[in-house]
């Protein structure tokens, strides 16, 4: 488990002096309107965007560390499963490129497929999966490398309401079970309420408010009433 | 299901009917005209049988042409693939080599023949080089285009999972570029045969192209038509072979295991 800290994160086109702390094992929901910088902030944590300021894991700066060495599990918006690999190979990819042995890979992948109830899909390609199945595979792939931090970018965005609700509950259950520090992006208030230990609200590249879900949602309700 | 069962023979009929009508019209017109310059289909078929079975004189020429096309195709495609990967994946190579490729690409493969006749001479290397040039540029272009069309999200996902740049290229980018690369290969499989015939007609003493020129000098129209039919069959076979590998290595596009 890892304590994530962002200090004065700024980049040229989106983020403006963002400061944020995510304690060990917490699921922080990052909310905000489209274009507020949520995805860019996840990319900064993952090392995929250039930035000024500092990202620290357990107090150690990881700036300049390549994305693959930050040990992050990232579920991208649209999941980005590799379309030319079957489910098994998708999940095994991170372990293979890190040089894990085939026995270790098989054991880990089988365990994850059991956990996410996707064992029956092992030989299927992403094009033949439903939206919910794809997200499960993508999450299994992100977790296969035993990441220290998990980043989820609107993981239920493209799903129907029922699948989305069920998957959220499962995500939450898995996250609690693994105790992994997680940053979860959404712009949906009900999703944020269902998932969050804490919510951070972004607007125009800045964190404008952080707090417990009930406080943040009450604040939203009050400001809406006032408007 | 019943619709499918009925539609298969129907679609076969739709495919074959125009060819059948063409052959019958050809036969009727040629018999009616009775000119040696326009032999009927039956005479061409007899000549086809003679050249391939009873005399077998077409086989050595076909073998030589096949060897040249295969050598030129494999070497040209491999070189085009390597250059395409370099230009598609490396920004410096794209900036430095891209303009050079743009200069040479518009020159048709056959346009190189006069220059190559002087530089290389009239020997086996010439037709192979023509096929090489014919295949090199389209495969290069399709490889570059395939690599550039790979979703940057896939590359980011691989990077986050810990893949090195070489691993990203070999395990993600190249496999995802295969549909585009195969399109180039399939097109060039046919073009290579068209180019070799032209090169053989001009530059070397053996091959299907030479056989066609000999038949032309003796006004053996049926033999010319046999060579054309063989050429067409070889183009078709090459394209089908590439199509087979394309389907095998890009079946993930349809989500089939």
């Amino acid at each position: 488990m890892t304590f994530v800290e962002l200090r004065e994160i700024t980049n040229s086109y989106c983020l403006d002096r963002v400061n944020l702390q995510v304690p060990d094992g917490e699921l922080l929901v990052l909310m905000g309107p489209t274009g507020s910088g949520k995805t860019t902030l996840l990319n900064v944590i993952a090392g995929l965007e250039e930035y000024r300021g500092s990202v620290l894991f357990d107090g150690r700066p990881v700036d300049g560390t390549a994305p693959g060495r930050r040990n992050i599990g990232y579920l991208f918006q649209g999941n980005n499963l590799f379309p030319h690999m079957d489910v098994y190979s998708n999940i095994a990819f991170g372990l293979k490129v890190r040089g894990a042995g085939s026995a270790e890979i098989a054991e880990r992948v089988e365990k994850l497929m059991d956990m996410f109830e996707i064992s029956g899909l092992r030989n299927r390609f992403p094009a033949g999966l439903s939206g919910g199945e794809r997200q499960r595979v993508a999450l299994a792939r992100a977790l296969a490398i035993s990441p220290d931090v998990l980043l989820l970018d609107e993981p239920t965005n493209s799903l129907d309401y029922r699948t989305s609700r069920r998957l959220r509950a499962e995500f939450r259950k898995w996250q609690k079970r693994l105790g992994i520090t997680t940053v979860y992006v959404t712009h949906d208030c009900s999703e944020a309420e269902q998932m969050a230990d804490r919510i951070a609200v972004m607007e125009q590249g800045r964190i404008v408010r952080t707090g417990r879900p009930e406080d943040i949602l009450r604040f939203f309700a009050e400001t809406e009433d006032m408007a | 299901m019943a619709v499918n069962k009925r539609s298969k023979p129907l679609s076969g009929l739709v495919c074959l009917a125009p060819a059948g009508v063409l052959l019958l019209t050809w036969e009727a017109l040629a018999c009616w005209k009775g000119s040696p310059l326009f032999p009927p289909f039956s005479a061409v078929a007899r000549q086809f049988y003679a050249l391939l079975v009873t005399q077998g004189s077409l086989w050595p020429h076909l073998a030589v042409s096949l060897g040249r096309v295969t050598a030129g195709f494999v070497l040209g495609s491999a070189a085009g693939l390597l250059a395409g990967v370099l230009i598609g994946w490396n920004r410096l190579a794209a900036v430095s080599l891209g303009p050079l490729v743009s200069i040479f690409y518009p020159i048709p493969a056959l346009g190189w023949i006069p220059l190559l006749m002087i530089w290389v001479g009239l020997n086996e290397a010439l037709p192979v080089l023509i096929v090489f040039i014919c295949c090199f540029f389209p495969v290069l272009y399709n490889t570059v285009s395939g690599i550039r069309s790979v979703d940057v999200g896939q590359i980011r996902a691989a990077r986050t999972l810990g893949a090195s740049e070489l691993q990203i290229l070999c395990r993600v980018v190249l496999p995802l570029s295969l549909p585009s690369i195969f399109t180039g290969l399939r097109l060039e499989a046919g073009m290579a045969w068209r180019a070799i015939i032209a090169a053989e007609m001009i530059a070397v003493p053996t091959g299907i192209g030479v056989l066609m020129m000999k038949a032309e000098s003796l006004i053996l129209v049926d033999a010319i038509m046999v060579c054309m039919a063989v050429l067409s069959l070889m183009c078709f076979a090459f394209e089908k072979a590439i199509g087979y590998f394309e389907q095998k290595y890009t079946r993930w596009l349809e989500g089939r295991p």
Side-chain angles (χ1 to χ4, degrees):
Chain A
M1 287 185 284
T2 301
F3 177 80
V4 177
E5 190 177 356
L6 309 181
R7 285 185 193 161
E8 296 290 306
I9 297 294
T10 302
N11 79 350
S12 53
Y13 61 94
C14 191
L15 303 174
D16 182 15
R17 284 173 291 139
V18 173
N19 289 289
L20 187 67
Q21 296 184 338
V22 193
D24 277 355
E26 181 180 80
L27 192 152
L28 176 98
V29 167
L30 208 52
M31 281 185 77
T34 307
S36 58
K38 306 184 294 293
T39 298
T40 308
L41 195 60
L42 288 194
N43 287 339
V44 163
I45 298 172
L48 294 168
E49 297 269 355
E50 290 191 355
Y51 60 90
R52 292 193 302 280
S54 200
V55 178
L56 300 97
F57 290 174
D58 282 335
R60 283 177 292 107
V62 292
D63 315 308
T65 305
R69 293 183 176 274
R70 292 191 180 198
N71 207 31
I72 279 173
Y74 195 162
L75 200 160
F76 293 83
Q77 205 169 11
N79 71 54
N80 284 337
L81 286 176
F82 303 125
H84 60 294
M85 294 182 197
D86 60 21
V87 166
Y88 185 95
S89 303
N90 258 289
I91 300 172
F93 182 86
L95 295 166
K96 272 186 190 163
V97 296
R98 285 161 185 244
S102 53
E104 184 194 341
I105 293 173
E107 188 190 337
R108 180 89 183 129
V109 174
E110 292 296 341
K111 196 174 160 190
L112 282 162
M113 287 200 298
D114 280 346
M115 179 174 158
F116 289 95
E117 296 167 10
I118 48 176
S119 297
L121 308 174
R122 65 173 64 231
N123 296 323
R124 303 259 292 272
F125 286 100
L129 302 178
S130 70
E133 288 168 343
R134 277 182 215 170
Q135 294 303 76
R136 284 158 185 267
V137 175
L139 192 58
R141 183 180 72 174
L143 290 172
I145 56 169
S146 306
D148 296 324
V149 179
L150 186 61
L151 307 175
L152 306 173
D153 193 359
E154 306 205 25
T156 62
N157 199 21
S158 55
L159 306 176
D160 63 84
Y161 178 74
R162 279 182 64 185
T163 313
S164 160
R165 226 179 142 70
R166 202 182 66 230
L167 212 58
R168 281 185 225 161
E170 289 177 7
F171 277 164
R172 189 63 172 127
K173 185 183 78 187
W174 294 321
Q175 190 271 338
K176 275 189 174 161
R177 188 168 138 193
L178 298 167
I180 189 167
T181 310
T182 303
V183 183
Y184 187 109
V185 163
T186 183
H187 54 252
D188 181 331
C189 286
S190 70
E191 187 172 359
E193 189 180 15
Q194 187 184 354
M195 302 298 291
D197 290 322
R198 208 158 53 96
I199 294 177
V201 182
M202 284 193 82
E203 267 175 32
Q204 295 178 332
R206 307 192 72 165
I207 303 265
V208 293
R209 188 168 293 272
T210 56
R212 291 180 305 164
E214 54 272 29
D215 297 335
I216 295 290
L217 296 173
R218 192 182 317 118
F219 170 78
F220 280 155
E222 284 168 8
T223 46
E224 259 180 36
D225 283 348
M226 283 166 69
Chain B
M1 288 301 283
V3 174
N4 280 342
K5 273 180 186 171
R6 241 178 285 152
S7 66
K8 264 192 177 176
L10 188 69
S11 65
L13 193 69
V14 168
C15 283
L16 292 175
V21 170
L22 180 75
L23 291 180
L24 282 174
T25 313
W26 172 11
E27 183 74 19
L29 272 176
C31 288
W32 172 65
K33 230 181 160 204
S35 162
L37 299 181
F38 185 43
F41 169 68
S42 53
V44 176
R46 274 197 302 277
Q47 181 70 284
F48 187 89
Y49 186 75
L51 286 175
L52 269 104
V53 182
T54 48
Q55 300 168 15
S57 52
L58 198 138
W59 288 114
H61 291 284
L62 181 58
V64 169
S65 295
L66 180 65
R68 288 168 185 154
V69 169
T70 308
F73 180 76
V74 170
L75 293 173
S77 301
L81 188 69
L82 285 176
V85 168
L86 191 66
I87 292 171
W89 188 239
N90 186 297
R91 200 168 295 168
L92 187 67
V95 172
S96 54
L97 299 177
L100 270 182
V101 173
S102 301
I103 289 169
F104 287 110
Y105 179 55
I107 303 169
L110 300 182
W112 287 90
I113 288 180
L115 200 58
L116 290 177
M117 282 169 80
I118 296 167
W119 283 353
V120 179
L122 298 177
N123 55 46
E124 275 304 312
L126 185 87
V128 174
L129 267 173
I130 295 298
V131 176
F132 178 96
I133 293 167
C134 175
C135 297
F136 176 79
F137 287 104
V139 172
L140 183 153
Y141 261 79
N142 278 278
T143 306
V144 171
S145 145
I147 287 175
R148 288 186 181 161
S149 67
V150 172
D151 181 2
V152 72
Q154 312 283 357
I155 296 169
R156 285 185 152 192
R159 201 163 275 154
T160 312
L161 288 164
S164 66
E165 291 304 296
L166 187 64
Q167 285 171 326
I168 292 172
L169 176 67
C170 296
R171 295 181 184 224
V172 178
V173 173
L174 278 179
L176 290 175
S177 309
L178 279 180
S180 176
I181 294 170
F182 271 115
T183 302
L185 288 174
R186 202 156 19 86
L187 291 172
E188 290 327 303
M191 278 305 292
W193 278 95
R194 289 167 206 135
I196 197 77
I197 295 300
E200 285 173 349
M201 282 177 172
I202 297 168
V204 282
T206 51
I208 296 280
V210 174
L211 200 62
M212 286 175 91
M213 290 309 283
K214 277 183 186 166
E216 186 268 341
S217 64
L218 298 169
I219 320 179
L220 294 171
V221 179
D222 49 1
I224 294 174
M225 287 180 169
V226 169
C227 291
M228 287 167 73
V230 169
L231 176 63
S232 170
L233 286 173
M234 293 312 294
C235 286
F236 181 75
F238 259 58
E239 284 177 18
K240 279 284 167 195
I242 300 292
Y244 167 78
F245 288 111
E246 181 178 13
Q247 213 164 30
K248 189 174 175 185
Y249 292 109
T250 61
R251 64 197 159 96
W252 49 269
L253 281 171
E254 297 155 24
R256 286 189 289 114

